[in-house]
Structure formats: structure tokens, C-alpha cells
Amino acid sequence: MNDNNLNPIEISPNIYFIGVFDPDIRTFDIIMKTANGSSYNAYLIKTKEGVIIVDTVKLEFQELFFKKIEKLCSYDEIKYVICHHLEPDHAGAIPQLMQKATNAKVLISPQATAMLKAITHKDNIDFETVWTNKSLKLGDKTIQFLTTPYLHWPETMSSYIQEDKLLFSGDVFGSHYCDKRLFDDVVGDFFYSFKYYYDHIMRPFKSYALNAIRLYEKFEIDIIATLHGPILRDNPKRYIDYYKKWSQNNYKLIANGKKTVSIFYLTSYKNTKDMAEAIYEGAESVEGIIANVYDLASIDESNMITILEESDGILIGTPTINADAPKPVWDLLSCMMLLEKKGKVAASFGSYGWSGEAIDMIIHRLKSLNFRIPPNESIKIKLIPTKEELHDCFDFAVEFCEIVNGKMVEMTMN
Ligand code: FEO
């Protein structure tokens, strides 16, 4: 299937889509399935004083991208190349574009400086850094830059064209959804992809998404030009509202201001389960804490992520089998890449037969994920817990929950 043709599509007066469709891609960034492909959106703005290129495409599609540019202008006319995001799916054609467009200056966020050098392997690239409150006026277009980091890399930014009420949102509001009809009001139903994309790309950076939305909401927006999937022009505010809703921690609305502590465990001979129950009792005894216990042998991954997201404190209990934690524990730890961990406290516990390495492995992983780890980072019990040891579990939970509640102690972070 070839969804690409050479005709640039005008999305607003003198603003053209010059991106490419990739209908055959089936996996994106290793973790995402792309059942009907994706697109790498890029744009060209024509003014009487020169041309601005907005982002580029994946390297393997650059010849098509250049042909589209050549249909609209000569390379000498290009005055600026705005790069909202330097991940290779958008930055692949930058090195060659800069060789062709010798009059052009690259505009990037300050955080993108080292990346630009790493992509081009040149020290003499003409570039300038831009951020919120900086703007560019060229001909009849005024572009206001917006600092929107971590959406989806540290260097990402957005921009807004005042005259067109057009937001270049970068990866934000994207979908891995390939449809050459291009606009949201004429493509097929891409909502599943819009949500899936949010869950995998934006969800780990919810607080940054809310910061970006605060910036976007200052503007009247008629059209959102994303870096992937449909361009959003049919009531674009609703897409902003979806992001806002998904990025707010809705559970907190029903937790009555209490902190949530989630206790996950896996058990072979009930010993780690007994520890989990004692830990639960200890947690529940602390004022201002709501505790819940989950058996990892019977929990669905999508529920896991939701629970983790809503938790202020996370305790993970595991037996040690063959010097390792069993797979359901690693499944829990691996899905943490999809959630925002900022401020969350975590620790581990477990019963063991020989040496209990799994508990330390969990702590190591939690540290590398940047959880806040209390000084008393784990509790291990050999085989069947005694009454006294269960009491130690209770005390361990109390101390953990006091820290979740804000007690000041020196925390370990990676
Ligand atoms: Fe579409 Fe984060 O790149």
C-alpha cells in the first residue's frame, strides 16, 4: 500500500503538510503496537519573507520529504527549521536538510542543544534556542514558542501561530494512525489509537502534560498540527480536555485526601502473604492512610498500572525462587515504565528459604526507577514468620506509612 503522494496539503493559509505516511510500521519505539501504521508529520510555512520548515521525518522517508519541499520552494528560501522534538522519527532528515538549506537557522529548545550536535555531528550548525515568551515573526506569521518538556523527551517543545490559531503540539495529541485523509473529521475512527498513544507516551509524564495544557489553554486554538496521525481541527478543545481528564489523578477525588498505600505480594507457601497481611494491618493503623492488598497471581496488567498510578506508597512482597523474583513480580516492575513515579515511596518485603535475593533485586529496580526509598528499605523473614516477626512487619509498615504521610527522613534515590 502506498499512501504517499507528492502533493503537499494546505492545512491553513500558506501552511502545508509535508509529512509522510508509514502504513506498514507495526511496532513503534519497541513498546507500541501500530496496527494500521503511523505518519511522521512535518509542515512548511510560506511567507513573503521566506520559508519555515516545521520538523522533519524519519530518515528512510527523507527523499519523499525533500520532494515535497521542492514542490513548494527552493532551499535558498528556507530561513528557519523549527524542531519541536529530536527523536529520530522527526529528526531523521535534519542533517541533510541543513546541508541543502544553507541559509536556514535551526530553532530548538535549550535542552535540545546537545542532541542537535549528536544528530548532525557538526559544530557549525546555525541554531538558536527558544522557549516560552520567545517568538518569531516572519512575513505575516507570528510564531510563539512554548516550553513543554518531557512530552515526550526532555527537549520537546510546542509552538503557536497567532494568525492561524494553530498549535504545533509536537508528540502531544498524536496517534499512531495512518490515514491519508489526514484530518480528524474525515479519517476513520482513530480514538482507540489516540488513547493508546496517550497511555504509552504521555501517561508517564502526566504532570508535564498538565503544565503544557495550562500553556495551551491561554490560546484560542482552531487547529492542532501533531507529529503523528490526524491533524485535529474538529473542535480541537475536546482533545485537550481528554488529556486533562486522563492526566488528573481522579482517584484522589474519592480518597478524601488520604494517602494510598498499595501492597502487592506473591506467595508460594503463604509466608509472604502473612507478611503482607501484617503490613496491611500496620499501614491501616496510621491515620490518613488507606491501604489495599493485591495478590500478584491474580491481577490484570491494566489494573496494575491504574493502581500503581493512584498509589502514594508501594510495597512489593515476593518469595525468592532460584535466586530470583518470579515473573509476576517482574511484570509489575516492568509496567512501571508507563507511570509517573514522582514523589512515590516504595519498599519491598518477603519470606525466603535460602538467601532472599529477590527482595534486594526489587529494591535495586525501584531505586533505578527513581522511587523514593526509605532508610528501612525492606524486611526479609526466613521461611515461616513468627509472631514477633509479624509484629516487625507491622512496625515496618507504620514507619513506611509515616514517611508516605510526610515524615522527614533521609531518603535513598538513584
Ligand atoms: Fe514521535 Fe517521541 O517521537
Side-chain angles (χ1 to χ4, degrees), residues 266 272 275 279 315-321 323-326 329-330 333 346-367 373 376-383 396:
L266 198 65
T272 302
M275 291 178 73
I279 284 170
L315 287 149
I316 303 174
T318 181
T320 299
I321 299 177
D324 204 346
V329 176
W330 289 117
L333 290 162
S348 72
F349 63 94
S351 159
Y352 65 99
W354 302 340
S355 46
E357 296 92 330
I359 298 139
D360 301 327
M361 286 175 179
I362 291 171
I363 286 296
H364 184 73
R365 170 80 174 142
L366 292 170
K367 283 180 184 170
I373 309 294
N376 200 0
E377 57 189 33
S378 65
I379 181 163
K380 293 182 192 180
I381 291 173
K382 195 166 178 73
L383 294 170
F396 171 77

Side-chain angles (χ1 to χ4, degrees), residues 28-29 85 87 89-90 152-153 171 176 197 201 227-228:
F28 190 89
D29 268 2
H85 184 19
E87 192 170 3
D89 50 331
H90 310 296
H152 120 253
W153 277 10
D171 267 352
H176 286 309
Y197 181 100
I201 306 260
L227 284 180
H228 294 288

Side-chain angles (χ1 to χ4, degrees), residues 263-267 272-274 276-277 293-297 315-319 329 349:
I263 302 154
F264 297 91
Y265 73 93
L266 198 65
T267 199
T272 302
K273 180 171 189 269
D274 288 345
E277 285 170 359
V293 183
Y294 304 97
D295 184 345
L296 283 173
L315 287 149
I316 303 174
T318 181
V329 176
F349 63 94

Side-chain angles (χ1 to χ4, degrees), residues 12-49:
S12 193
N14 293 317
I15 302 176
Y16 299 86
F17 172 83
I18 54 165
V20 297
F21 297 106
D22 186 359
D24 298 323
I25 188 169
R26 288 292 173 269
T27 306
F28 190 89
D29 268 2
I30 304 170
I31 58 166
M32 295 182 74
K33 295 188 192 332
T34 47
N36 51 344
S38 190
S39 64
Y40 313 111
N41 301 349
Y43 304 92
L44 184 149
I45 304 167
K46 277 190 110 163
T47 77
K48 287 203 174 78
E49 290 179 18

Side-chain angles (χ1 to χ4, degrees), residues 57-73:
V57 299
K58 208 172 182 180
L59 180 62
E60 68 200 77
F61 293 94
Q62 68 173 353
E63 291 314 318
L64 185 56
F65 169 74
F66 290 131
K67 281 182 184 155
K68 288 190 175 194
I69 291 177
E70 287 157 18
K71 280 210 148 200
L72 289 164
C73 69

